[in-house]
Amino acid sequence: MSVLLLTVLFAFVLGDDDIIEIRMPGIQVPKDDMYWHVPTEVKDTVYITGYRAAAKSSVVHHLLLYGCPDIPSTDPWLGGGTCKDGEGVILWAWALDAPKFAFPANVSIEAGNKRIRYLVAQLHYKLAQPDDYKDTSGVDVFFNSSPTRYSAGIYLFMALEGTFPPGQKDIHLDLACNYTAPAINVFAYRTHGHTWARRISGWREHEGDWDMLGSRDPNLSEMFVKTSEVFVITPGDTVYARCEFDTRSTNRTISIGSTHNDEMCNLYLMYYTESSQIGSITEECTQKRIFSVPGHQDEHWYDHYVKGEGLIRSIVIILIVVLGVFAVAICTKAYFCPKTAYYTKGNEGFEKLFSPMDDEDEDEILYRSYKHSY
């Protein structure tokens, strides 16, 4: 396995690849929460190496790129499904002005075949735009003609339903699935939630050992983030995701849904596997299941592992407060008792405050303190 991991180095470069530009043809957005789709047929076999959004978060809430064997229309369409008969795979996801993304060396996605004949960009427009606005947002798909040993894909955790009462600080929604498909190598992840989501995390359990795949605030730029290492998920493993919400800012019940007034609980795991196996990989986990880390049955794994970060933050905050109080005490003493604070003798010159190595800005601050005190 170590040879495999060394083979796929994290050389995230787009190089001189060609580009497929997918754009909306100047569509209008007269209502909130409109979902538009724009397709592009891939007529020749290509190998996708990366993506770059041509959109702004001020207009587009999020963008999903799908690979489809067939589509319901060759023209852009509003709402409805993405791929004909529901068949298709998620290739990439973007939100909050995330930067471009490139696969590692020796990894790509083959398109222009029966599995991915069409690329379909789905854009969610959060808010209505002015009547004269014509949107041309979309995505650039980087590709070349050279096949790679490994193919990339996305394993998706997605909550299909759930409700959260108002005024609650810590609300959790858990998803878990037994993994039965061929082995995958997870190298990046992305979280997605809405207004009340605070953290989304994922784990893998292998032979009783738990490893965190990733954990991130979904309110940050929704880019794919590299995992701390390449995590191999094999048949027999269990994969978990937890979404945490804070509804103290609302007085209504929040539900999982597709609008910006609803919530979402999505965790995307980007992986690579042998190209010959990519068509047989399980694509998503939607099963709700409450779970705990073995040995800590009285608390969820999130509380035991992730909230350890909170303990560290609390210690740091306490130290900052203590140092701040100490600094205020020193400054107060310096203001009211300047002679005893700065000098052993009241008439010593201000040059005694400085050493030859002192910073000039610091000198100016000390000089002003001296002038104020006398």
Side-chain angles (χ1 to χ4, degrees):
M1 186 60 66
S2 59
V3 175
L4 175 64
L5 300 186
L6 288 174
T7 302
V8 185
L9 301 177
F10 285 96
F12 287 89
V13 293
L14 293 174
D16 299 323
D17 292 345
D18 294 320
I19 300 176
I20 299 173
E21 294 184 352
I22 305 174
R23 297 290 188 274
M24 289 292 174
I27 57 98
Q28 291 184 299
V29 188
K31 299 179 181 179
D32 293 353
D33 294 309
M34 298 186 75
Y35 282 78
W36 274 97
H37 303 80
V38 58
T40 294
E41 183 178 6
V42 184
K43 297 181 180 180
D44 300 314
T45 300
V46 300
Y47 298 89
I48 297 172
T49 58
Y51 311 98
R52 179 178 61 203
K56 297 293 184 181
S57 61
S58 58
V59 176
V60 179
H61 176 261
H62 72 259
L63 180 155
L64 295 176
L65 182 67
Y66 290 84
C68 302
D70 201 359
I71 53 176
S73 173
T74 56
D75 297 320
W77 68 91
L78 177 62
T82 303
C83 301
K84 190 174 182 179
D85 300 325
E87 297 181 358
V89 293
I90 295 178
L91 303 180
W92 190 57
W94 170 95
L96 296 177
D97 296 320
K100 63 184 179 181
F101 178 85
F103 292 122
N106 297 322
V107 177
S108 67
I109 295 178
E110 182 181 328
N113 50 32
K114 291 182 179 180
R115 179 171 175 263
I116 304 177
R117 182 183 172 190
Y118 296 91
L119 300 176
V120 179
Q122 180 199 76
L123 281 69
H124 173 204
Y125 296 91
K126 178 179 178 179
L127 300 175
Q129 299 298 317
D131 292 340
D132 59 350
Y133 179 79
K134 308 285 187 181
D135 188 66
T136 57
S137 300
V139 58
D140 294 329
V141 180
F142 294 85
F143 72 93
N144 60 43
S145 59
S146 301
T148 55
R149 176 180 175 182
Y150 304 105
S151 291
I154 288 179
Y155 186 93
L156 172 63
F157 291 92
M158 179 174 62
L160 300 179
E161 53 89 17
T163 57
F164 316 110
Q168 302 295 312
K169 180 180 179 181
D170 294 310
I171 307 175
H172 305 301
L173 190 156
D174 293 347
L175 302 170
C177 288
N178 298 323
Y179 188 80
T180 59
I184 58 176
N185 306 276
V186 176
F187 65 91
Y189 70 97
R190 172 186 180 268
T191 61
H192 180 69
H194 289 175
T195 304
W196 300 273
R198 292 295 176 264
R199 181 178 288 271
I200 300 175
S201 307
W203 287 74
R204 172 204 66 177
E205 181 186 5
H206 177 74
E207 297 180 350
D209 294 326
W210 289 59
D211 292 295
M212 177 175 277
L213 302 172
S215 181
R216 186 172 170 84
D217 180 351
N219 293 294
L220 300 175
S221 178
E222 293 194 18
M223 58 190 289
F224 275 93
V225 180
K226 286 197 298 183
T227 55
S228 59
E229 60 182 272
V230 178
F231 292 100
V232 182
I233 299 176
T234 59
D237 291 350
T238 304
V239 288
Y240 305 88
R242 165 166 285 190
C243 299
E244 181 183 14
F245 304 95
D246 184 338
T247 61
R248 289 178 294 175
S249 63
T250 184
N251 57 7
R252 64 181 179 88
T253 298
I254 305 300
S255 300
I256 293 292
S258 61
T259 79
H260 71 278
N261 292 315
D262 301 317
E263 257 304 341
M264 286 190 172
C265 171
N266 294 356
L267 174 64
Y268 301 80
L269 301 180
M270 183 79 77
Y271 66 83
Y272 65 85
T273 189
E274 293 284 347
S275 294
S276 60
Q277 297 180 335
I278 191 65
S280 57
I281 303 297
T282 303
E283 297 294 346
E284 64 182 33
C285 175
T286 60
Q287 181 180 346
K288 293 175 64 176
R289 186 201 308 177
I290 297 176
F291 49 85
S292 301
V293 174
H296 301 275
Q297 297 298 327
D298 294 332
E299 58 181 344
H300 291 297
W301 59 265
Y302 179 90
D303 300 315
H304 179 68
Y305 287 91
V306 178
K307 287 194 175 178
E309 300 174 4
L311 176 61
I312 296 174
R313 286 194 295 268
S314 298
I315 294 173
V316 171
I317 291 172
I318 291 173
L319 290 175
I320 291 174
V321 171
V322 170
L323 292 174
V325 171
F326 180 76
V328 170
I330 293 298
C331 291
T332 301
K333 184 178 180 183
Y335 184 86
F336 290 105
C337 309
K339 293 183 180 180
T340 56
Y342 289 110
Y343 316 106
T344 55
K345 294 182 181 180
N347 292 325
E348 287 184 348
F350 102 98
E351 67 275 2
K352 296 291 185 181
L353 291 169
F354 314 116
S355 67
M357 300 301 293
D358 280 340
D359 180 79
E360 290 183 2
D361 292 336
E362 182 181 356
D363 292 355
E364 177 66 16
I365 294 171
L366 289 173
Y367 174 72
R368 291 177 179 177
S369 298
Y370 173 86
K371 296 295 287 184
H372 174 75
S373 300
Y374 283 83

